[in-house]
Every structure is written in C-alpha cells, then in structure tokens.
C-alpha cells in the first residue's frame, strides 16, 4: 500500500504523486457505487504494479472541497480580477470572496492588468484595494507586462495548496506563466464582442511553484450560494462578522433589526456602502433560492 496526493485528473485517470514519482491510477469501482469521485488534492492510498497501472483504494477525509472546479484540501485562493478588460467588478469579487470564505479557504485578491489603466482609473482601483485591505484582505496590484507586483505573489504560494480563480480573461494563466515561464500555459485574448475571454484551462492540475502547489483551474462555472444559509452569510463578510458580536440580537441579519452594530457602522461610514449593498442582494438571492430536497 502506498500513500500520495492526486495532482491531476484527466480522462478518467488520476495522477498520484508519492515519494518523487507520479503514478497513473484508476479509481476503484466501489467509489462509483458510493457516488464518491476522487478529486485533485485528495490524499489517497493506492497500489501499483508500475507507474502506469495503479488503483486508488481509499481517500482520506477532506478538510474542504470545491465542486466547480473539482478540487479538495485547498488552503488558499488567489482571486484574480483585472482592473480593465474585463472591467473590475467589486460585486463579482464579493461573490467569489463569499464562496471562498464559506469553504474555509484563505483569499488573496490580485488585481491584474494595472499597466492598462488611466490615472483616473488607477485611483479608483487603489481606493478599492484600500477598502479591502482595511477589511483585512491582502491585495496585490499586478501587471504581467511590466511585471510589477508579480514577484510579491511568490511568498504567498509557499508551503500551501493554492487555487487561482477568477473571471475568464483576467489573466490567470498569464500570471502563472510570469511566475514560472516554463509552464507555457495557453492564454487567449479577450473577445472584443463579448468583453470576456474564453476558458483556456481544460482540466485541474496541481503545479509546483516555489515550495507550494498551485491549481490553474477552469474557473468557477457555478457562482451560486447553494450551501450558504441566511444566518451564515454575514460570517463570510469579515467586517460584519466582527461587528455582529455587538448587535442586540443573536442571529441578527443586519437588515432592519434594532440596535444593529453593522447598520450603525454603515451609517458612520466605517463599512463601504457597496459591500453592504452586495450583502443585501445576496440575502435576497438566498431567500429566492429553490428549496433542496
């Protein structure tokens, strides 16, 4: 019996890294019967006759898992959002942040394509960066053309498993190529008619960068709050989560309840109004969600 970690899944095969070698494996039939699918990032027990004929026998308990992209045991998510082309969207960023926070994954915000912005646009982006830093998030402003900020990302990747995620066309693969040029990951230009890029990554694979592992994923194809309940949403907004201890009522949703610390902070301007607006729109979305059976 051998132990290792799945670093790639492709066409029904799982590539398991163990003691410096990679073994091509298949999953046992029992996994299909139990409706369990091995995921990239899984720690597994396997047996193998050689490096091309292995079988996964058991999957260790996961600390977290994402469905789209399919990956497990993630420590960190680098959320790449372009300053322009496509336009920076704090609403979409907050949606990503909620999904990442709900899965117990540490987020790092990376705003790309800073070489393309005008001075006026740069000031707007820098204000957003300040807002998110004040909340407690790390924010990097980068350009793969000028290479500004790219090297600052490397220390964050050490000794952990990182998912690089974000809208298509924001430069995720370009960023990884800048960090590790030998990867030569395929990149696509933005479609001028659609204002967004096409997905260039077709499968999930963990790539060694520095002393860490990085997944260049096909992107979040689902951004719905499927598993987040109303009472849990504010815990995914760190600034609200901290303040909620001072609300008069436990379980306060920070909507119309009296003596709400979050609403007071909003009135005082210590919480960005757009963050609160996004929170209330997500609340409505969860309320409208079809019940699961």
């Amino acid at each position: 019996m051998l132990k290792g970690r799945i670093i790639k899944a492709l066409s029904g095969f799982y590539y398991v890294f163990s003691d410096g070698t990679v073994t091509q494996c298949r999953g046992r039939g029992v996994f299909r019967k139990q409706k369990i699918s091995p995921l990239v990032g899984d720690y597994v027990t396997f047996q193998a006759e050689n490096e091309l004929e292995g079988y996964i026998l058991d999957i260790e308990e996961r600390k977290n898992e994402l469905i789209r992209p399919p990956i497990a045991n993630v420590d960190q998510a680098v959320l790449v959002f372009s300053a322009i082309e496509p336009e920076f969207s704090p609403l979409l960023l907050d949606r990503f942040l909620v999904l990442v926070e709900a899965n117990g994954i540490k987020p790092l915000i990376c705003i790309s394509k800073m070489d393309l912005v005008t001075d006026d646009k740069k000031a707007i982006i820098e204000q957003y960066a300040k807002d998110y830093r004040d909340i407690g998030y790390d924010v990097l402003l980068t350009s793969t053309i000028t290479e500004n900020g790219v090297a600052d990302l490397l220390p964050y990747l050490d000794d952990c498993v990182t998912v690089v995620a974000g809208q298509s066309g924001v430069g995720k693969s370009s960023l990884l190529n800048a960090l590790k040029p030998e990867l030569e990951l395929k990149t696509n230009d933005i479609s001028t008619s659609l204002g967004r890029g096409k997905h260039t990554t077709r499968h999930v694979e963990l790539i060694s960068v520095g002393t860490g592992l990085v997944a260049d994923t096909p992107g979040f194809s689902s951004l719905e709050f499927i598993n987040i309940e109303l009472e849990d949403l504010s815990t995914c907004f760190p600034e609200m989560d901290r303040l909620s201890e001072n609300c008069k009522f436990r379980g306060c949703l920070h909507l119309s309840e009296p003596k709400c610390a979050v609403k007071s902070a909003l009135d005082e301007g210590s919480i960005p109004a757009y963050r609160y607006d996004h929170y209330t729109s997500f609340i409505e979305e969860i309320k409208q969600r079809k019940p699961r059976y």
Side-chain angles (χ1 to χ4, degrees):
M1 299 291 186
L2 301 167
K3 289 187 177 291
R5 169 185 252 160
I6 299 174
I7 60 168
K8 182 169 73 171
L10 185 64
S11 302
F13 289 100
Y14 304 97
Y15 297 82
V16 181
F17 180 82
S18 176
D19 293 330
T21 62
V22 176
T23 304
Q24 178 178 280
C25 296
R26 288 190 179 276
R28 286 178 60 193
V30 69
F31 293 137
R32 286 191 294 276
K33 292 177 184 176
Q34 296 171 350
K35 296 185 178 179
I36 297 172
S37 294
L39 295 177
V40 169
D42 273 334
Y43 291 101
V44 298
T45 301
F46 69 104
Q47 64 182 24
E49 297 295 325
N50 53 59
E51 291 180 11
L52 294 175
E53 297 179 72
Y55 286 90
I56 294 172
L57 305 176
D58 191 34
I59 301 170
E60 292 186 20
E61 185 177 353
R62 298 162 179 159
K63 72 174 183 179
N64 57 43
E65 66 178 271
L66 299 175
I67 297 171
R68 304 182 188 92
I71 188 169
N73 300 314
V74 177
D75 300 306
Q76 175 178 249
V78 176
L79 303 180
V80 183
F81 277 72
S82 54
I84 196 169
E85 296 182 12
E87 286 287 323
F88 179 75
S89 169
L91 175 61
L92 190 58
L93 173 56
D94 284 345
R95 184 175 286 274
F96 271 83
L97 285 168
V98 167
L99 291 166
V100 167
E101 294 272 12
N103 282 283
I105 298 168
K106 181 182 177 183
L108 169 65
I109 300 168
C110 178
I111 302 178
S112 63
K113 304 188 184 181
M114 288 300 294
D115 57 291
L116 297 179
V117 298
T118 61
D119 288 344
D120 288 347
K121 182 70 173 179
K122 183 179 180 183
I124 293 170
I125 295 296
E126 288 178 341
Q127 181 58 54
Y128 278 125
K130 181 182 183 302
D131 289 346
Y132 284 100
R133 287 178 182 134
D134 288 345
I135 291 167
Y137 292 116
D138 288 333
V139 183
L140 300 178
L141 304 180
T142 67
S143 165
T144 56
I145 302 301
T146 65
E147 297 189 356
N148 285 347
V150 174
D152 296 335
L153 179 57
L154 272 172
Y156 287 96
L157 305 180
D158 285 342
D159 305 319
C160 64
V161 173
T162 299
V163 167
V164 179
Q167 231 178 331
S168 59
V170 295
K172 300 186 295 293
S173 294
S174 296
L175 188 62
L176 285 175
N177 284 338
L179 289 170
K180 194 171 182 178
E182 61 267 32
L183 291 176
E184 297 182 347
L185 296 173
K186 185 180 178 184
T187 60
N188 272 359
D189 292 331
I190 299 295
S191 162
T192 53
S193 59
L194 297 176
R196 56 189 173 91
K198 296 179 180 178
H199 287 308
T200 53
T201 313
R202 300 301 177 206
H203 65 277
V204 180
E205 180 175 0
L206 289 175
I207 302 162
S208 175
V209 179
T211 60
L213 294 170
V214 177
D216 180 27
T217 75
F220 285 75
S221 58
S222 174
L223 291 171
E224 297 175 2
F225 303 130
I226 297 170
N227 298 312
I228 301 174
E229 303 303 327
L230 281 178
E231 59 272 18
D232 298 326
L233 180 63
S234 66
T235 66
C236 301
F237 285 74
E239 70 275 39
M240 296 185 193
D241 192 35
R242 289 190 292 267
L243 287 166
S244 62
E245 297 177 4
N246 300 320
C247 291
K248 180 178 180 180
F249 297 105
R250 289 187 64 184
C252 181
L253 292 179
H254 321 304
L255 298 174
S256 56
E257 298 91 337
K259 296 186 179 179
C260 168
V262 170
K263 292 282 284 183
S264 295
L266 179 67
D267 292 340
E268 294 164 4
S270 55
I271 288 180
Y274 63 87
R275 283 275 290 176
Y276 182 77
D277 289 343
H278 298 163
Y279 169 77
T280 57
S281 71
F282 297 161
I283 283 279
E284 287 305 311
E285 184 176 327
I286 292 171
K287 284 181 178 179
Q288 298 299 320
R289 184 176 63 198
K290 291 180 180 178
R292 289 173 291 163
Y293 297 101

